[in-house]
Amino acid sequence: MRHFATESGKSKGQFYTPAEVSRVLAKVVGITEDTRQDQTVYDPTCGSGSLLLKVAAEAPRGITIYGQEKDNATWALSKMNMILHGNEDAEILKGDTITSPQFTNGNALQTFDFAVANPPFSIKSWSNGLEQEYGRFEYGRPPEKNGDYAFLLHILKSLKSTGKAAVILPHGVLFRGNAEADIRRRLLTQGFIKGIIGLPANLFYGTGIHACIIVLDKENAVGRTGVFMIDASKGFIKDGNKNRLRSQDIHKIVDVFTRQATIERYSRMVPLSEIADPKNDYNLNIPRYIDSSEREDIQDLHAHLHGGIPDRDIDALSGYWDAFPQLRDQLFQPNRPGYSDLTIDVSQVQQTILDSPEFQKFTQEARELTTEWFDAHRKKLEGIDDTTRPNDLIATLGDDLLARFKSVPLLDEYDVYEQLMTYWHDVMHDDVFMIMNDGWLEAAKPRKIVADKDRKLSETSDLVVGTGRSAVKYKTDLIPPDLIVKRYFAKDRAEVDELMSAWEEASRVVEEYVEEHAVEGGLLAEAMDDEKINKVLALGRLKKARHEGTDADEVAALSHLIKLYNAEAVAKKTAKEAEAALNLATLKKYVELNENDVKTLVLDDKWQATVTMRVTIEVEALTLTLVARMQELGSRYATTVGALQAELKRVEAQVAANLSVMGVN
């Protein structure tokens, strides 16, 4: 559906809420593993039902689903979607939610425990045909040409007295004035708004504008003293022409919102008294309360005049100095009060950091922490079978990895978590499903590639046994051949690599010899055809040259070239035969593996090794930010104004001298 929404353009974005945003709504609305099956969730603009399904996935005991959709084709799609996902009992009705709500009890709306929605943004025709209001607009009537608050008030009215909701709306609902300002003020004074989450721009199909999630909570409305705000607008990744929330962005939003944690430049509880202050006047625009803008990089005039890097700029990198206390003294030396100089050239900063004992110790500790994490879950991973719940498995792994890296200075635990989740989505998820469906041994067996000549489709092979037309191509889905070779045939691999290097060297020698002599007037010029030369041409010219009694130097050159071609052919044949033998031995080894062998290869050599490598890359990436800043500061203040003036005088004197020589005064 995501691909369909992407390829269908603006008009089809109406039926699909990006899965990542749906996961955030499903989690912040308050549905947990304790949610009962008889509790209800409602989406008044359910589209294809993807948002409702994400909510249902958060309730392992089940939950009763209700939804309404205006578009006939999309409504049918939603019905089908519910059936395909095992929610045949979901009640999805058709009709315009505002003008013709289908879930009613007489003159009142039916109420629900939870509600989630991604209604159409700022719809102008929301009131066309509206006859019955069902008491939805008791806190104010939305403007005639903008229906955002019409949907929000409909959802509020559709909640039980203990109900909770999470609704996606454009950012404008937070600060627009007039009728919407009055509604916003009344909702805040009633305590219905629990939280606001600002999302990145360009997440949704059909619009690139910023959106937000408004979390409503009737149960705890009385006595509410503040609104919890999160500015998550900076956390995303580019995905084609859209932006997308990463796993780390989703987890951070949910963690912070659940704990109501204050994080500088990201989240805080904003007291209602601050929101009601005349300077804010119930305006909920997030930048009023959370400044997530980049800090201004202040230029130091004194440093430009006299040189030296301001200590203030160095102090701003305190996170690095806390993690590596000795590194600061290694990189800087005092210049004068308040200013320092680099002890090394700017170009050597990165290598100095990488070579420092503190950084190497930090990297090793990160690896050890990853190993301890994996060891703690190894038994669970060894026990993967057809009863395993993949979502529960990765949730347990991810949450524990987050917890273990939380206390590590400098390193953002959510960046580490993202490394695991990216690998899970790219590789581990499929591995787990193969093991669940086929078992460890069967999943590890190579299979012949699938090829369809009529449709010109063919899988990329991982292992080729044999040559030419007799070659058989295999796909090794669970265990790549490199892992087999590394564990069981390391010596053979080294020998093959040596033979491959010998082949490359023989080819290089041929190339150099041809480049030197196969030129106009060169010893091999007569053997060339269309500015090219090969062994056949060289043999033909040699035969002719001997017959004609040509220059002995040309005959010697051609003879030497043919020897080089022969040596290259022998080196190639030897290398290819060795590689073919290694491939055959690798294929046979797959058959010999027992279940413990497979688990060792998958768990240790593949999963653990890859996650550890990715965490190490994340650690080493820390140096890039520090290096970039050091290089920036070092270059910025390297040349003082005095030095520039001296250089200017030198150039002026040089120009004057040149003009004098030319007779120009």
Side-chain angles (χ1 to χ4, degrees), residues 102-238:
Q102 298 298 297
F103 296 100
T104 59
N105 291 320
N107 292 325
L109 294 179
Q110 185 176 336
T111 56
F112 306 91
D113 296 296
F114 302 98
V116 290
N118 178 17
F121 288 179
S122 306
I123 189 168
K124 293 180 171 60
S125 58
W126 69 272
S127 61
N128 291 355
L130 178 62
E131 296 177 358
Q132 171 67 281
E133 292 188 359
Y134 294 96
R136 289 174 287 187
F137 307 135
E138 60 180 305
Y139 299 109
R141 185 179 178 85
E144 292 298 321
K145 297 299 182 181
N146 195 315
D148 292 330
Y149 271 96
F151 288 103
L152 186 65
L153 293 172
H154 172 88
I155 290 165
L156 183 65
K157 194 67 177 179
S158 299
L159 292 177
K160 294 179 179 179
S161 60
T162 58
K164 299 172 179 62
V167 188
I168 301 169
L169 290 170
H171 250 267
V173 301
L174 302 177
F175 54 79
R176 291 195 295 250
N178 303 317
E180 292 185 325
D182 292 336
I183 298 171
R184 187 167 58 243
R185 175 179 54 79
R186 295 190 66 181
L187 294 181
L188 285 165
T189 55
Q190 291 291 322
F192 292 135
I193 300 179
K194 176 183 179 180
I196 297 168
I197 302 168
L199 298 173
N202 204 27
L203 286 180
F204 299 94
Y205 302 96
T207 179
I209 66 173
H210 281 274
C212 65
I213 298 172
I214 295 183
V215 182
L216 303 175
D217 178 10
K218 276 189 174 181
E219 183 177 17
N220 302 296
V222 177
R224 178 165 280 119
T225 59
V227 175
F228 190 75
M229 294 189 183
I230 295 177
D231 185 350
S233 59
K234 302 290 194 297
F236 64 89
I237 189 173
K238 292 292 294 181

Side-chain angles (χ1 to χ4, degrees), residues 283-357:
N283 186 315
L284 293 175
N285 197 19
I286 296 175
R288 281 179 176 261
Y289 308 100
I290 300 174
D291 181 10
S292 63
S293 60
E294 295 294 328
R295 288 190 175 92
E296 184 180 1
D297 189 9
I298 300 172
Q299 299 277 343
D300 190 296
L301 184 58
H302 201 272
H304 279 298
L305 289 170
H306 305 290
I309 298 172
D311 287 345
R312 178 189 63 249
D313 289 330
I314 301 173
D315 293 340
L317 298 166
S318 59
Y320 290 94
W321 316 136
D322 291 342
F324 316 127
Q326 298 173 23
L327 185 59
R328 180 169 180 165
D329 292 336
Q330 213 175 331
L331 293 174
F332 298 98
Q333 62 186 9
N335 176 298
R336 60 188 185 282
Y339 296 85
S340 300
D341 292 322
L342 280 168
T343 59
I344 55 176
D345 188 78
V346 170
S347 62
Q348 298 175 323
V349 169
Q350 184 169 15
Q351 197 57 49
T352 300
I353 295 170
L354 291 173
D355 291 342
S356 72

Side-chain angles (χ1 to χ4, degrees), residues 182-443:
D182 292 336
I183 298 171
R184 187 167 58 243
R185 175 179 54 79
R186 295 190 66 181
L187 294 181
L188 285 165
T189 55
Q190 291 291 322
F192 292 135
I193 300 179
K194 176 183 179 180
I196 297 168
I197 302 168
L199 298 173
N202 204 27
L203 286 180
F204 299 94
Y205 302 96
T207 179
I209 66 173
H210 281 274
C212 65
I213 298 172
I214 295 183
V215 182
L216 303 175
D217 178 10
K218 276 189 174 181
E219 183 177 17
N220 302 296
V222 177
R224 178 165 280 119
T225 59
V227 175
F228 190 75
M229 294 189 183
I230 295 177
D231 185 350
S233 59
K234 302 290 194 297
F236 64 89
I237 189 173
K238 292 292 294 181
D239 186 5
N241 62 350
K242 306 300 293 181
N243 294 331
R244 177 169 58 82
L245 295 177
R246 299 164 296 181
S247 296
Q248 72 178 92
D249 303 318
I250 296 168
H251 209 301
K252 186 174 183 179
I253 291 170
V254 174
D255 278 355
V256 170
F257 189 85
T258 303
R259 294 186 288 113
Q260 305 277 281
T262 297
I263 298 178
E264 186 182 4
R265 304 163 68 82
Y266 185 78
S267 64
R268 63 180 282 239
M269 175 64 76
V270 182
L272 283 175
S273 58
E274 184 179 347
I275 295 171
D277 187 285
K279 71 177 181 181
N280 292 317
D281 194 24
Y282 294 97
N283 186 315
L284 293 175
N285 197 19
I286 296 175
R288 281 179 176 261
Y289 308 100
I290 300 174
D291 181 10
S292 63
S293 60
E294 295 294 328
R295 288 190 175 92
E296 184 180 1
D297 189 9
I298 300 172
Q299 299 277 343
D300 190 296
L301 184 58
H302 201 272
H304 279 298
L305 289 170
H306 305 290
I309 298 172
D311 287 345
R312 178 189 63 249
D313 289 330
I314 301 173
D315 293 340
L317 298 166
S318 59
Y320 290 94
W321 316 136
D322 291 342
F324 316 127
Q326 298 173 23
L327 185 59
R328 180 169 180 165
D329 292 336
Q330 213 175 331
L331 293 174
F332 298 98
Q333 62 186 9
N335 176 298
R336 60 188 185 282
Y339 296 85
S340 300
D341 292 322
L342 280 168
T343 59
I344 55 176
D345 188 78
V346 170
S347 62
Q348 298 175 323
V349 169
Q350 184 169 15
Q351 197 57 49
T352 300
I353 295 170
L354 291 173
D355 291 342
S356 72
E358 287 180 314
F359 185 79
Q360 292 181 359
K361 180 183 177 185
F362 184 80
T363 305
Q364 183 58 32
E365 288 174 349
R367 290 196 190 101
E368 290 172 357
L369 197 56
T370 307
T371 300
E372 290 172 8
W373 160 78
F374 195 87
D375 288 345
H377 299 280
R378 186 183 176 86
K379 200 163 188 178
K380 181 186 287 288
L381 293 170
E382 285 180 342
I384 293 174
D385 57 21
D386 58 359
T387 65
T388 298
R389 295 171 63 93
N391 289 345
D392 292 345
L393 175 65
I394 190 57
T396 301
L397 293 173
D399 289 346
D400 187 39
L401 188 66
L402 262 175
R404 289 174 186 267
F405 276 89
K406 189 174 183 63
S407 60
V408 177
L410 194 61
L411 195 60
D412 187 332
E413 65 269 26
Y414 291 100
D415 288 336
V416 175
Y417 173 79
E418 180 65 20
Q419 292 295 337
L420 169 64
M421 295 307 296
T422 300
Y423 184 56
W424 170 262
H425 292 308
D426 291 347
V427 177
M428 276 186 71
H429 181 272
D430 290 344
D431 287 353
V432 169
F433 268 90
M434 282 190 288
I435 296 167
M436 288 172 59
N437 292 331
D438 302 328
W440 289 90
L441 275 176
E442 195 63 30

Side-chain angles (χ1 to χ4, degrees), residues 513-555:
Y513 193 76
V514 167
E515 189 176 331
E516 180 181 356
H517 298 290
V519 293
E520 185 176 350
L523 293 173
L524 302 176
E526 293 298 323
M528 296 174 66
D529 181 19
D530 194 20
E531 298 185 355
K532 295 179 181 178
I533 191 170
N534 53 40
K535 183 179 177 180
V536 173
L537 292 172
L539 283 169
R541 176 57 191 168
L542 178 61
K543 183 177 180 181
K544 187 175 181 181
R546 283 172 172 168
H547 179 72
E548 295 175 349
T550 316
D551 180 30
D553 289 341
E554 181 187 3
V555 172

